[in-house]
Amino acid sequence: MENLFSIKNKVIIITGAGRGIGYQLAVGLAKHSARIYSLDKKFAKKIPKNLSSNIIEIKCDITDYSKIKQAFKKIFVKEKRIDVLINNAGVSFASQKKNQSYSEKDWIQTINVNLTGSFYCSQEVIKYMLKQRNGSIINITSINAELGFPRNPAYNASKGGLKMLGKAFAKDWSKFGIRVNNIGPGYIKTEMTSKRFTNKKTRLERQNQTLLGRWGEPDDLIGPCIFLASDASKYMTGQDLYIDGGWITNSGLS
C-alpha cells in the first residue's frame, strides 16, 4: 500500500537549520529518508554520522538575496528538483524592561531575518517549483502571529507578516500546483527560549497556559512538517496549523 506520508528522496530546504527547531527538523526529516539542505550562517555543531549523507549544509545569509540565488541554483543543478522549502530561520530580541522603548536595530534585524528573508527564499524557490508544477512551502510562524505578546513588537509583526505572506503566495501560486501553509509553534524548548524556560516563574506560567500542561519539544513539529511535505496534505493550502499544546484555545480564540 502506498504511504501517503512518505517523504523518501524529497529534496527539502530548511533555513536556520544549524540549531534549535531547524536542526531538529533536519535530523527528523532525514531519518525519514528525505534529502535535506540546511541553510544557515553557521554549520550545526554535530550531524549524526548515519545521516551525514542525507543532510547537506550550506552557509547562507538569507537576508542577502544574491546568496540565496546562488544556494538555490546549486541545489537545483545537483538535484534537478526542489520539493519543499521550510522557512524556519528566525530571531527574537525582547526588551528586558517593561517601560523600555524598542530598539530600531532589533526591529530591522528581526524583520529582515523573519520576514524579508523568508520572502526572498519563497520567491526564489517558486522559480524552480514552477518548472515542476508542484511543491510545498512551509512557513514556521508562531502563536505570536495570532496573539499580542509584550515587549517584542518586531517578533509579533514579523510572524504575523509571515502568516499573511504564506496566504498571499498560496493564492498566487496554487494554480501551478504550489502549496503554501503555515505551522505556528507555541512555546518550544530551544536555545532561543532557554532563559524563559530556566526562569521557574515564567516556565510555570507558560506551562499552565498550555492545555497539555507542558512546553513543546522541537521534535513535536516533525510530524506536522512531514504531513505538509507529503502527499497526505495535497489538497491543503493557505492554512495555519498551530502546534501549541492548546495555548490559543485556552486564550479563547479557537
Side-chain angles (χ1 to χ4, degrees), residues 45-103:
K45 292 180 180 178
K46 185 179 181 181
I47 297 292
K49 288 184 178 180
N50 64 318
L51 298 176
S52 59
S53 62
N54 287 70
I55 301 176
I56 300 94
E57 295 186 281
I58 298 176
K59 283 188 177 181
C60 182
D61 178 357
I62 67 164
T63 66
D64 185 335
Y65 203 173
S66 64
K67 298 296 184 184
I68 291 170
K69 289 180 178 179
Q70 292 172 16
F72 282 51
K73 182 177 180 180
K74 179 179 179 181
I75 294 167
F76 187 80
V77 167
K78 181 177 180 180
E79 300 288 349
K80 304 297 186 290
R81 64 183 302 105
I82 300 174
D83 298 297
V84 181
L85 166 67
I86 301 178
N87 284 315
N88 165 78
V91 294
S92 176
F93 305 104
S95 297
Q96 298 305 307
K97 298 179 181 178
K98 289 184 178 181
N99 297 322
Q100 182 180 33
S101 61
Y102 197 78
S103 159

Side-chain angles (χ1 to χ4, degrees), residues 130 133 169-179 237:
L130 283 172
R133 293 282 168 155
F169 275 152
K171 193 154 191 173
D172 289 340
W173 302 110
S174 59
K175 59 189 174 185
F176 300 104
I178 299 170
R179 299 183 297 108
T237 195

